[in-house]
Amino acid sequence: MTALPDCFCPTDGTRVPAGSLAWCCPVCRGPLDLDFAPTPAPLASLTGRVNSMWRYAECLPLAAPTVSLGEGRTPLVPLREGVLAKLDFLMPTLSFKDRGAVLLAELALRLGPRRVIADSSGNAGTAVAAYCARAGLPCTVYVPEGTSAKKLEQIEAHGARLRVVEGDREATARAAREAAGEDGVFYASHVFNPYFLHGTKTYVHELWEDLGGRLPDAVVLPVGNGTLLLGAALAVAELHAAGLIDKRPALYAVQAAAVAPLARAWSEGADDLVGVTPAAPTFAEGIAIPHPPRARQILSAVRASGGAFLTVTEDQIRHAQADLAGRGLYVESTGVACWAAVREGALGRREAVVPLCGAGAKTGMARA
């Protein structure tokens, strides 16, 4: 087995040795990053490799996977001139979260914890439950009350224990983090654990390969906790450092106007969250995160790319979901946020790719 890299805190530099079950910085309690700087393989060398995200083996911190469900390599289809959609809802558990969950389960399998726990508004918990089932690991998923019944059914179908927490997404995270302090527990956090980000970055490696060794002018990404956007930023940096792209794409972050703490900080020119953002009802429940722990990193990544933050209203989300369904693509309401922004002309004539992140079968149609 390849040696695991150490983790470190991006805020204060504290190091956490490889093999530890620690899930956050022991000093500031913030999320961790991975001491890992891979070099991607040239385009020509990918021919004939396994047709999953594991074809980018040089860029992944875990080798020789044993729990893969064939995740990755999702289709790229046109929506209109200059706009492509990547169909990440066609993953094994019907959301992009499989990209990171497979790495968390693979890591947990190698560390041998007594049990695995996760917290989620639905999709991440479903993905962790599925991959823990594949790995034969006991798993408990904490979810907020009001989570889609179909997502709860899917989590339990994979054999995970369900803990429904009274209150919102933040209350759920607090409950899971308290349990994560118990001995022998692996906290499969899609927010705090950097392995998840190194899974989501394969989204951009696939774009680069499918576009023939280049990236579009703009990559548009939904942002709640920012795991897909931060993974995208990692991949762009890797490809650029290796000389495999000349120009970095602008990263555009989309939030629901109802819960948009990062967009607010961006509009005020801040490097971190400003004020208090209360939780509010929104069709985009998967990105309704009032206090994302990686806020500083998200704002910095968007700024460095030359991108910006965009917000969408509930009506825009609802109309975008119906529009995609009319094009043959049934996507959950959170997953249509980026198309809701782009179809309004926010990027002008720039070439862009939007992700369709979760299947509509998980939540049904948004209703006025």
Side-chain angles (χ1 to χ4, degrees):
M1 182 178 70
T2 304
L4 300 175
D6 288 345
C7 294
F8 69 94
C9 175
T11 301
D12 58 35
T14 301
R15 298 189 71 80
V16 175
S20 170
L21 289 176
W23 57 268
C24 66
C25 172
V27 177
C28 72
R29 308 293 288 177
L32 297 170
D33 282 348
L34 209 55
D35 190 3
F36 179 63
T39 300
L43 191 64
S45 72
L46 298 177
T47 302
R49 292 193 181 190
V50 60
N51 192 37
S52 74
M53 61 179 252
W54 294 95
R55 69 197 282 109
Y56 311 109
E58 293 87 348
C59 295
L60 295 173
L62 293 169
T66 59
V67 300
S68 174
L69 291 167
E71 54 286 331
R73 300 299 293 144
T74 52
L76 194 61
V77 301
L79 285 180
R80 70 177 187 211
E81 185 179 359
V83 180
L84 297 169
K86 187 159 175 60
L87 309 190
D88 255 27
F89 67 89
L90 299 179
M91 296 283 267
T93 76
L94 308 182
S95 91
F96 86 94
K97 297 290 177 63
D98 291 4
R99 295 183 183 277
V102 64
L103 284 179
L104 294 184
E106 188 72 40
L107 177 62
L109 189 64
R110 299 181 190 199
L111 297 180
R114 178 170 53 86
R115 67 183 176 119
V116 175
I117 66 169
D119 63 284
S120 167
S121 60
N123 284 338
T126 296
V128 171
Y131 284 95
C132 281
R134 184 74 167 178
L137 293 165
C139 177
T140 301
V141 180
Y142 291 72
V143 298
E145 57 185 356
T147 299
S148 164
K150 293 180 181 180
K151 292 180 180 179
L152 300 183
E153 179 182 333
Q154 191 178 4
I155 290 170
E156 290 189 305
H158 292 306
R161 298 177 65 185
L162 204 57
R163 291 287 182 266
V164 180
V165 178
E166 291 185 9
D168 60 12
R169 183 66 182 84
E170 302 254 315
T172 304
R174 287 194 296 270
R177 290 167 196 167
E178 182 177 348
E182 299 173 11
D183 290 339
V185 171
F186 178 86
Y187 182 24
S189 172
H190 59 292
V191 182
F192 281 77
N193 194 307
Y195 279 81
F196 196 91
L197 305 182
H198 283 269
T200 63
K201 74 182 181 184
T202 58
Y203 174 89
V204 164
H205 283 288
E206 290 177 17
L207 285 184
W208 169 77
E209 182 181 1
D210 288 345
L211 293 175
R214 66 178 186 88
L215 289 173
D217 298 331
V219 179
V220 189
L221 302 154
V223 172
N225 279 309
T227 55
L228 185 55
L229 184 137
L230 291 174
L234 280 173
V236 169
E238 290 169 3
L239 292 165
H240 189 264
L244 296 175
I245 55 172
D246 296 326
K247 186 178 70 169
R248 302 185 188 216
L251 302 180
Y252 283 85
V254 179
Q255 294 207 287
V259 185
L262 291 159
R264 176 184 173 188
W266 176 267
S267 68
E268 297 189 19
D271 294 329
D272 206 342
L273 301 179
V274 293
V276 176
T277 300
T282 174
F283 293 135
E285 61 181 9
I287 55 172
I289 309 296
H291 305 101
R294 293 188 184 269
R296 292 185 68 89
Q297 289 177 282
I298 297 165
L299 289 161
S300 176
V302 173
R303 189 169 286 116
S305 77
F309 279 80
L310 306 170
T311 60
V312 290
T313 67
E314 299 304 290
D315 276 348
Q316 287 174 323
I317 293 170
R318 184 164 51 84
H319 292 316
Q321 187 184 32
D323 178 59
L324 286 173
R327 297 167 185 258
L329 299 167
Y330 189 33
V331 184
E332 69 174 344
S333 48
T334 297
V336 307
C338 293
W339 176 236
V342 170
R343 72 189 288 261
E344 299 289 332
L347 301 186
R349 299 180 65 84
R350 303 185 78 178
E351 180 194 32
V353 173
V354 301
L356 305 183
C357 294
K362 286 174 171 273
T363 58
M365 294 293 287
R367 304 295 182 188

